[in-house]
């Protein structure tokens, strides 16, 4: 399934319906939105959205209705909705994120300097069942959360999501 992944922030929230329409026009089956995580040092904290905010809820509802009308799956992922099993990562078991150059990542928070694979070099099966993904699954299933996973805002809804960029600089 081809899906759009959108980092929801103040500057693009008004465009959410347009993004859903673009997804439908291009044949994507879904639009998944993930609220912006404000990493220290990147000066984006003023762009974060509160999913409970009335205006954001209105934008999400409008995008949801547009998606339903166009036959596109629409969802908003955030910590309050995530499965809180201690060693579980919903992204690792059913999602991949592909950048415009074909690089593959397991989640929207992943350090982009460490892709899990590259569609220019490998097939989906080779990447999904390859060593990088299998090693990551094994570590997480064992409760070993390093680098990117250790500071993941999806793991703990009470965690401070304002992590530093250097938290993501090492090999995940």
């Amino acid at each position: 399934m081809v899906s759009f992944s959108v980092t929801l922030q103040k500057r693009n929230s008004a465009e959410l319906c347009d993004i859903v329409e673009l997804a439908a026009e291009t044949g994507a089956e879904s639009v998944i939105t993930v609220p912006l995580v404000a990493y220290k040092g990147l000066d984006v904290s003023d762009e974060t959205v509160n999913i409970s905010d009335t205006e954001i809820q209105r934008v999400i509802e409008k995008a949801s209705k547009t998606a339903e009308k166009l036959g596109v799956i629409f969802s908003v992922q955030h910590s309050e909705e995530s499965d809180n099993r201690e060693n579980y990562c919903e992204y690792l078991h059913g999602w991949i994120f592909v950048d415009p150059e074909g690089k593959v990542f397991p989640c929207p928070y992943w350090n982009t300097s460490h892709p899990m694979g590259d569609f220019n070099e490998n097939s989906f099966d080779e990447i999904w069942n390859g060593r990088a993904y299998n090693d990551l699954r094994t570590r997480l299933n064992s409760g070993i959360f390093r680098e990117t996973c250790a500071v993941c805002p999806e793991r703990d809804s009470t965690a401070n999501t304002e992590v530093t960029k250097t938290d993501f600089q090492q090999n995940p």
Side-chain angles (χ1 to χ4, degrees):
M1 169 171 41
V2 174
S3 176
F4 277 36
S5 176
V6 179
T7 301
L8 186 61
Q9 52 190 303
K10 288 179 184 174
R11 77 175 70 170
N12 71 356
S13 62
E15 300 169 351
L16 201 51
C17 279
D18 294 337
I19 293 169
V20 169
E21 290 172 356
L22 179 61
E25 289 172 19
T26 60
E29 295 183 36
S30 67
V31 174
I32 310 303
T33 62
V34 179
L36 175 69
V37 175
Y39 300 111
K40 268 188 213 173
L42 297 180
D43 299 322
V44 295
S45 60
D46 59 332
E47 286 296 322
T48 60
V49 296
N50 178 346
I51 293 296
S52 302
D53 178 74
T54 305
E55 179 61 23
I56 295 299
Q57 283 294 312
R58 185 188 67 72
V59 166
I60 289 171
E61 181 64 27
K62 185 177 176 187
S64 181
K65 287 180 180 178
T66 300
E68 185 176 340
K69 180 177 80 173
L70 297 172
V72 174
I73 299 165
F74 178 81
S75 72
V76 178
Q77 301 291 316
H78 63 287
S79 297
E80 294 168 358
E81 292 179 350
S82 64
D83 188 331
N84 287 321
R85 288 182 282 165
E86 191 172 320
N87 296 338
Y88 182 79
C89 173
E90 69 180 292
Y91 295 112
L92 194 55
H93 297 283
W95 297 92
I96 65 165
F97 292 79
V98 183
D99 76 6
E101 296 174 354
K103 305 277 193 259
V104 177
F105 307 93
C107 76
Y109 308 109
W110 198 257
N111 179 347
T112 57
S113 65
H114 298 288
M116 302 295 278
D118 185 335
F119 280 139
N120 296 302
E121 299 171 10
N122 302 100
S123 71
F124 174 83
D125 285 336
E126 290 172 325
I127 296 169
W128 185 254
N129 297 310
R131 183 175 181 166
Y133 261 103
N134 284 331
D135 287 352
L136 182 59
R137 287 184 190 104
T138 299
R139 280 199 320 267
L140 295 188
N141 288 335
S142 300
I144 301 168
F145 293 86
R146 297 192 316 222
E147 291 82 18
T148 301
C149 298
V151 295
C152 177
E154 296 286 333
R155 285 191 50 231
D156 182 2
S157 62
T158 63
N160 177 3
T161 58
E162 195 167 307
V163 296
T164 65
K165 184 177 178 183
T166 57
D167 290 331
F168 292 88
Q169 295 303 311
Q170 300 186 20
N171 203 3

